[in-house]
Amino acid sequence: MIPLATAHLKGPHIDFAGLSPLIALLGGSVLVLIVGLLGSRWIRAQAVPSLSLGALGAALGLTIWQWNAQKSIVSGALRIDDLALVLNLVLIAGAACTVLLAWRSLAAREAAHGEFHALLLSSVAGMSLLAAAQNTVALFVGLELLSIPLYVLCATELKREHSLESGLKYLIVGSVGSATLLYGLAMIYGATGTTDFAGIASALSNGSLATDPLTLTGVALCVAGLCFKSSIAPFHQWTPDVYEGAPTPVTAFMAVTTKVAAFGVFLRFFDVALIDTQVSWGPALAVLATITILVGNVGALGQSSLKRMLAYSSVAQAGYMLAGVVVSTQLGVRATVFYLAAYLFMNMAAFAVIVARERQTDLGDSIGALAGLGRERPLLAWPMTISMLALAGIPATAGFMGKFYLIDAAVSGGYTWLGVAIVVGSMISLGYYLPVIAAMWMREAPAATSPNDASVLAPTPGPLPALAGGSSELDEDGGPLSGSQPEVLVVAVLAGAATIFFGVIPQPLFDLVHGAGSGLGLF
Amino acid sequence: MPPLSILLWLPFVCGLLGALASAVLARGGRTNAEASAGDASAASGRGAWGAPGVVALVGSLVALGLAIAYIADYKSGGAALQHVTDTVWISTLGIHYKLAVTGLNVFLLGLTTLLFAVATLAANLRSWERPRLFYFHFMLAESAVLGAFLAQDLALFVSFFDLMLIPFYFLIGGWGREPGRIKATIKLVIYTLVGSLLMLAAAIATGVLASQQGGGHITFVLSALHALPLSSGSQEWIFLFFAAAFLVKMPAFPLHGWMPDGYRAMPIEVLMVFSGVLSKVGAYGFLAIVLPLFPQAAVHFQTLMLLIALASILYGSAQAFSQTDARLIAGYSSVAQLGFITLGIFSLNSQGAQGALLQMVNHGLVVAPLLFIVGLLAKRTGGSEDVRQMGGLAFRAPVLASLFLVVALATLAIPGSSNFVGEFLILLGVFKAKLAIAIIAFSGVVLASVYALRLFIRAMHNRVGPSADSHEISILDGAVLAPLIAVIVFLALYPQLALHRSERSVKAAVASVQASTVPAQTVARVISGPRVVHRSATFADSVRTP
């Protein structure tokens, strides 16, 4: 009987090839978690990060293998197209940088390495899912898979109050954002009767649904929810606190990859599913983008904490990228994706330097930790300089090309004033990027700084009570963190070099993002 | 002739090589330069002559040689663009890497390379902390400025225009004078980049709107944009954004706020090129980009620009004879001189524009030695650049005094100098355009002699100043001044050299503006090529030096 039944039952066709990058990430996550349980300290500190790098490498290889696939998988819930694949590349690169930055970090050690990396990988899987989502259910599942591990990751420095506060704050605000989004999605489902993006688009295109109050309320709630996630003003207030409190490698991860995933959704949901209501959300998003650019750039002025400064700067950058969503043209999509890639390099260079300096000085992420860096450690000072110049949009950096492309898209899409808002934002941004460069090259190192004296980093001297959930290793020793840290230097130098390279020879990156725009069926 | 890219990138490569080579050489011990920095700066005067400085000097000299070759090779009657290099840089955005020598930039190339060569020599006469980085930024600056002059693609021009500020940011912030060096440098960069970024938006809009109108693929090549004129509404706001960038860079009167602090903070060698060359990029931008691309807007805003120019002349002159800091006297005199140049450009006729172009070269040639001499004077008054501390310096330094006199007389545009020809042409042009403004502008000529002679007399003559201890100019310092003064004298005798070569391009630039006042059909024909512009060979000849 049983063999007969199986012969007749036809399960849904599963395209394992299309799913393979996701499988690699989730499989890697489980594997890392299990290996992390092994006793040897070496295995936990070295093998676990190596394994997660391996999982990311496998996902990268499988993504490249799927190139030009253009297919829908999981009964149309996900779509593997150029946009998804390019975003996947950026996500994986960002996650790989994070693994390297976290290799010797306190956060990974306190959270027990296995758990830290397992959470990281599953968050990347969520982002990858989000970048390919084709219906509102996949969208929401991806978003939660992305967010929940991040709430935990923010709080992984168990003995630092700010880290815990950051995790809690992110959890509460993030949940509000998710709830808002879910409510909005439900309303759109109520109005159109489908969860499918293409279905929503066709339902909105015929009939008066596009101006239906239920639809519009749903769209507004979705905007609010996604703005929470991608820290767009006025929904950005959590960003500086969370970025500052979270362990720096996690901040780097959040700053870069969540932006990539959130903008992937923005592009897919707004420029595909809701394209026929563009007249109602276009101007609203344009105004939000302008507010975001101003609020982010003005907020960053005068910040003495580098992480806080970069948090506000990331708010501003989100505003720039939103301009590419607003115009809803192929050019806009390409410009946004190009900027996301440039954003990865620029931010990773900056965060790598912050990580390195946090371990070398007792000044934490304050701007003073960079004083005299140009003389002392030019290999760290140059990437930071390049990163700051690129974020400000100086020529010969990828940031300049990105802004150029975004302004080009804005002007072509009839939003010239948004292009002007972008340059006005860049002007304000000079007020906080330039002092960072000045600190590195034009100030003397403070005499009190003692490089490599990391013992001060141990939060409180003396034996600490064992923490529930903390790794036993931490309770064994809270000793000095590091001497040399070649992997951080590698991230900084590579990201800095890539920023310059794609600023001088941007054509490869332009070619890479070219297909991303064509897949969405826009003009 | 070698391709223009060699001229463009040679300084940068030399700066990079100098930095890398000496970094490798210094591997063995702590660097020579660093060790010598302490005692050498105490001895002051005897230069360092380290590897980075020498490599930079060689690079800048070769660049100067190349530029002279391009001037000699320039055919006044030839094509509008000569020695063209044109490859696609970014096909997606329609940006070309297009360089060319034109009548507008050929002498500015000479000026740039000359001033950089001289300033590099001057820089070699003293020792710098972190010399590798210093010369790297210095040479990067030369390449960026040359790039801005050579670029024949709007996006490329904007890139170089923005880029050239970055090395100066480092040079001022890293090697500037206390107090207030960091504040001054941030102020300077924010001021100038605010203008440049507005220009970036305007430039992108120009490319996009022009190609939308033309219906073709987006392009930023100047000649292609020239053929696709924008509507006058777009031209107007775009013009204002470009004008903001160029006026800040010059600097012109209401936008000069960065100038006093910036001038005070800059090392004199850096200030020589900054004041001599960078201000010209702004004026060049008006002539090479704004007039041909936005002719209707140029006509529309002519009076506004002339009034700004006039205000700069009067304000700059008034400040120049009330300041006591010799550097600021030079700085405010530049504001006045750049006012004259703007005046000439916006007379919107070929005499005024030719005079402006000649005056750009003249001003660069005059202000650089003036600043260097201010530096020399400071060495003779215990480091003070205040004219109240100077006086009677000529007595023990007759050669220095006579060199200074040549420069001062050229600054005040004494008849016989090339500056006189330049100012004469400018005023002639304005006279034709707006009589009232020309009459007021004449007072600027008088004021120039007041502040130039006041500086000379208070420094070199009068009673010996409280901390003055004069001595004769050294051979090496003389070697810095000699080429500049030689060129000043040469141009005084033979200004036609510059006028001949620039005439055609200047007329072509102005022609589009003049055409914009006649009906649209003829515009297209006049703009479409310089062949329509009749060349009157007699014009340049008619300007004889008295």
Side-chain angles (χ1 to χ4, degrees):
Chain A
M1 284 302 283
I2 289 165
L4 195 65
T6 44
H8 285 284
L9 266 177
K10 269 203 164 172
H13 171 69
I14 298 175
D15 183 350
F16 284 104
L19 278 175
S20 56
L22 264 180
I23 294 171
L25 289 170
L26 289 171
S29 167
V30 174
L31 182 68
V32 160
L33 191 60
I34 293 168
V35 172
L37 293 176
L38 295 176
S40 155
R41 190 170 156 190
W42 178 87
I43 287 187
R44 275 181 287 144
Q46 308 292 335
V48 165
S50 309
L51 271 178
S52 55
L53 270 189
L56 289 168
L60 183 73
L62 293 167
T63 303
I64 293 170
W65 175 53
Q66 287 296 305
W67 209 255
N68 290 330
Q70 310 284 6
K71 59 189 171 188
S72 291
I73 54 173
V74 202
S75 353
L78 302 179
R79 180 161 176 78
I80 307 296
D81 56 10
D82 280 7
L83 178 63
L85 293 174
V86 172
L87 292 181
N88 253 0
L89 288 187
V90 180
L91 288 171
I92 290 166
C97 291
T98 311
V99 171
L100 289 175
L101 294 187
W103 202 291
R104 283 169 231 259
S105 75
L106 199 62
R109 219 167 46 175
E110 287 194 1
H113 301 277
E115 289 163 34
F116 183 91
H117 289 284
L119 288 168
L120 190 71
L121 287 177
S122 53
S123 184
V124 178
M127 293 168 181
S128 169
L129 194 64
L130 208 49
Q134 280 299 301
N135 64 35
T136 51
V137 177
L139 189 162
F140 192 72
V141 170
L143 199 67
E144 289 305 283
L145 188 55
L146 170 178
S147 304
I148 292 169
L150 263 182
Y151 303 148
V152 185
L153 282 173
C154 283
T156 40
E157 275 186 27
L158 298 170
K159 290 177 185 166
R160 202 161 50 86
E161 250 179 39
H162 280 298
S163 174
L164 301 177
E165 181 198 327
S166 150
L168 187 62
K169 215 171 227 174
Y170 194 27
L171 170 65
I172 294 169
V173 177
S175 311
V176 172
S178 297
T180 318
L181 179 67
L182 189 58
Y183 207 33
L185 292 178
M187 285 188 172
I188 290 176
Y189 175 67
T192 60
T194 171
T195 60
D196 195 46
F197 285 178
I200 294 173
S202 68
L204 291 178
S205 67
N206 42 35
S208 57
L209 267 183
T211 49
D212 186 53
L214 187 61
T215 318
L216 291 182
T217 318
V219 170
L221 287 174
C222 286
V223 169
L226 283 175
C227 286
F228 267 116
K229 292 289 170 190
S230 47
S231 49
I232 282 164
F235 307 100
H236 70 287
Q237 271 99 346
W238 58 273
T239 319
D241 290 347
V242 172
Y243 277 29
E244 190 191 12
T248 311
V250 177
T251 310
F253 181 67
M254 272 199 292
V256 176
T257 51
T258 41
K259 283 259 151 51
V260 176
F263 276 95
V265 172
F266 258 120
L267 291 174
R268 284 211 190 272
F269 192 52
F270 284 87
D271 287 351
V272 176
L274 302 179
I275 190 68
D276 281 298
T277 50
Q278 206 264 352
V279 282
S280 33
W281 58 257
L285 279 193
V287 171
L288 279 186
T290 314
I291 295 174
T292 307
I293 289 169
L294 289 178
V295 166
N297 281 315
V298 172
L301 291 171
Q303 296 289 349
S304 63
S305 151
L306 286 170
K307 276 157 77 179
R308 252 186 122 73
M309 188 269 270
L310 282 173
Y312 277 110
S313 131
S314 85
V315 172
Q317 312 276 334
Y320 302 150
M321 287 186 268
L322 199 55
V325 179
V326 168
V327 296
S328 26
T329 55
Q330 283 197 22
L331 194 59
V333 176
R334 284 182 203 135
T336 309
V337 177
F338 185 94
Y339 204 89
L340 284 169
Y343 182 77
L344 162 81
F345 300 126
M346 303 189 277
N347 270 297
M348 275 305 165
F351 278 110
V353 175
I354 297 175
V355 168
R357 285 312 272 178
E358 272 184 338
R359 295 178 197 171
Q360 284 166 352
T361 71
D362 52 354
L363 295 169
D365 70 329
S366 111
I367 215 169
L370 298 178
L373 198 64
R375 197 174 310 228
E376 246 175 59
R377 285 160 201 269
L379 272 184
L380 284 178
W382 275 111
M384 190 71 172
T385 308
I386 291 168
S387 154
M388 291 295 121
L389 291 177
L391 285 167
I394 300 296
T397 63
F400 174 77
M401 284 301 155
K403 284 211 178 99
F404 199 108
Y405 211 12
L406 279 174
I407 297 172
D408 180 1
V411 176
S412 313
Y415 281 93
T416 307
W417 58 273
L418 206 50
V420 176
I422 293 176
V423 296
V424 170
S426 307
M427 286 173 204
I428 304 173
S429 74
L430 291 168
Y432 55 90
Y433 291 131
L434 290 181
V436 176
I437 300 176
M440 285 185 291
W441 296 99
M442 300 165 198
R443 284 186 212 284
E444 302 291 324
T449 309
S450 47
N452 288 329
D453 178 12
S455 60
V456 279
L457 268 179
T460 37
L464 288 158
L467 272 175
S471 75
S472 55
E473 181 188 322
L474 183 79
D475 300 324
E476 287 155 18
D477 69 329
L481 270 170
S482 66
S484 65
Q485 34 193 348
E487 74 283 348
V488 177
L489 199 62
V490 164
V491 172
V493 170
L494 280 185
T499 308
I500 291 286
F501 179 83
F502 289 119
V504 178
I505 309 170
Q507 197 56 49
L509 207 51
F510 279 119
D511 292 339
L512 189 69
V513 304
H514 185 83
S518 339
L520 293 189
L522 290 166
F523 290 108
Chain B
M1 294 296 290
L4 280 173
S5 297
I6 293 183
L7 171 64
L8 172 55
W9 295 112
L10 182 82
F12 172 69
V13 170
C14 285
L16 198 62
L17 275 185
L20 293 180
S22 61
V24 172
L25 288 178
R27 259 306 132 75
R30 213 51 203 134
T31 67
N32 245 348
E34 221 166 287
S36 66
D39 39 323
S41 63
S44 95
R46 288 288 139 245
W49 297 104
V54 173
V55 175
L57 182 60
V58 171
S60 62
L61 285 176
V62 176
L64 174 61
L66 282 174
I68 292 173
Y70 282 116
I71 294 176
D73 195 55
Y74 186 81
K75 292 172 194 64
S76 313
L81 304 180
Q82 302 185 8
H83 305 290
V84 181
T85 300
D86 189 0
T87 47
V88 178
W89 178 26
I90 305 166
S91 61
T92 314
L93 296 175
I95 301 178
H96 285 235
Y97 172 77
K98 185 175 180 188
L99 310 173
V101 176
T102 69
L104 298 179
N105 67 19
V106 63
F107 275 88
L108 293 170
L109 293 181
L111 177 73
T112 307
T113 48
L114 175 65
L115 291 194
F116 267 96
V118 165
T120 315
L121 177 62
N124 265 303
L125 299 181
R126 60 187 264 206
S127 62
W128 299 88
E129 220 188 319
R130 292 181 282 167
R132 280 180 270 146
L133 212 53
F134 176 84
Y135 287 105
F136 171 72
H137 286 306
F138 204 68
M139 291 290 102
L140 175 60
E142 178 166 4
S143 279
V145 174
L146 287 174
F149 282 134
L150 286 171
Q152 298 299 322
D153 179 289
L154 191 57
L156 195 64
F157 172 81
V158 171
S159 302
F160 279 119
F161 191 87
D162 288 358
L163 184 64
M164 72 188 176
L165 210 60
I166 300 307
F168 281 101
Y169 172 68
F170 283 99
L171 287 170
I172 303 164
W175 290 269
R177 305 190 310 170
E178 296 292 355
R181 111 190 104 92
I182 295 181
K183 230 184 99 207
T185 185
I186 290 182
K187 193 167 166 186
L188 180 148
V189 171
I190 290 182
Y191 248 100
T192 39
L193 269 186
V194 162
S196 316
L197 287 169
L198 284 177
M199 180 171 78
L200 171 66
I204 298 171
T206 308
V208 173
L209 297 176
S211 60
Q212 276 178 356
Q213 231 152 35
H217 189 62
I218 184 168
T219 178
F220 287 94
V221 178
L222 286 180
S223 51
L225 289 177
H226 196 172
L228 299 166
L230 296 173
S231 70
S232 62
S234 321
Q235 276 192 21
E236 278 165 22
W237 72 265
I238 290 174
F239 175 90
L240 289 178
F241 280 19
F242 271 88
F246 296 148
L247 289 175
V248 170
K249 197 68 131 200
M250 285 172 127
F253 163 59
L255 305 170
H256 68 287
W258 57 268
M259 194 275 289
D261 289 346
Y263 269 49
R264 257 189 239 119
M266 267 185 244
I268 210 94
E269 294 79 0
V270 176
L271 185 54
M272 283 166 74
V273 287
F274 191 91
S275 181
V277 176
L278 259 74
S279 55
K280 307 304 169 302
V281 185
Y284 169 78
F286 274 125
L287 211 49
I289 307 230
V290 170
L291 293 194
L293 292 190
F294 318 116
Q296 281 156 302
V299 174
H300 187 254
F301 289 111
Q302 183 186 18
T303 314
L304 174 72
M305 298 303 294
L306 287 176
L307 287 176
I308 288 177
L310 198 59
S312 302
I313 294 173
L314 298 178
Y315 176 83
S317 307
Q319 285 287 334
F321 67 69
S322 53
Q323 293 290 329
T324 55
D325 186 334
R327 253 182 215 234
L328 289 190
I329 295 177
Y332 281 111
S333 84
S334 300
V335 174
Q337 295 288 317
L338 267 298
F340 266 110
I341 293 170
T342 318
L343 204 63
I345 294 171
F346 280 91
S347 69
L348 300 182
N349 56 45
S350 56
Q351 284 97 330
Q354 273 225 305
L357 192 64
L358 182 61
Q359 197 62 4
M360 283 185 221
V361 178
N362 289 334
H363 174 253
L365 285 173
V366 163
V367 79
L370 191 62
L371 287 165
F372 187 69
I373 288 170
V374 169
L376 293 181
L377 296 179
K379 280 185 197 160
R380 287 157 177 76
T381 55
S384 165
E385 291 177 357
D386 194 316
V387 289
R388 285 170 301 190
Q389 302 291 317
M390 300 172 181
L393 296 177
F395 183 59
R396 283 168 196 271
V399 178
L400 175 60
S402 43
L403 292 176
F404 190 3
L405 187 61
V406 173
V407 175
L409 290 178
T411 306
L412 64 84
I414 197 160
S417 68
S418 167
N419 301 53
F420 175 77
V421 181
E423 285 189 4
F424 179 81
L425 282 172
I426 290 172
L427 290 170
L428 187 65
V430 183
F431 223 86
K432 286 185 182 169
K434 302 265 171 190
L435 186 61
I437 286 174
I439 289 169
I440 304 174
F442 271 121
S443 65
V445 182
V446 183
L447 292 172
S449 55
V450 177
Y451 61 72
L453 289 178
R454 171 175 169 269
L455 175 64
F456 179 74
I457 292 169
R458 292 200 67 162
M460 302 313 275
H461 296 300
N462 280 4
R463 186 165 300 148
V464 177
S467 52
D469 174 23
S470 184
H471 49 88
E472 189 50 280
I473 186 171
S474 72
I475 301 274
L476 283 171
D477 287 340
V480 174
L481 285 178
L484 295 169
I485 290 179
V487 179
I488 291 174
V489 172
F490 175 74
L491 270 186
L493 298 174
Y494 191 56
Q496 289 92 332
L497 177 76
L499 291 173
H500 257 312
R501 282 173 166 71
S502 61
E503 192 185 359
R504 235 171 106 102
S505 301
V506 167
K507 286 195 169 174
V510 176
S512 45
V513 178
Q514 286 165 342
S516 77
T517 48
V518 288
Q521 250 106 37
T522 42
V523 177
R525 252 187 294 125
V526 175
I527 293 175
S528 64
R531 65 200 138 71
V532 186
V533 183
H534 298 293
R535 181 165 184 277
S536 64
T538 51
F539 170 68
D541 300 356
S542 70
V543 188
R544 280 262 120 81
T545 45

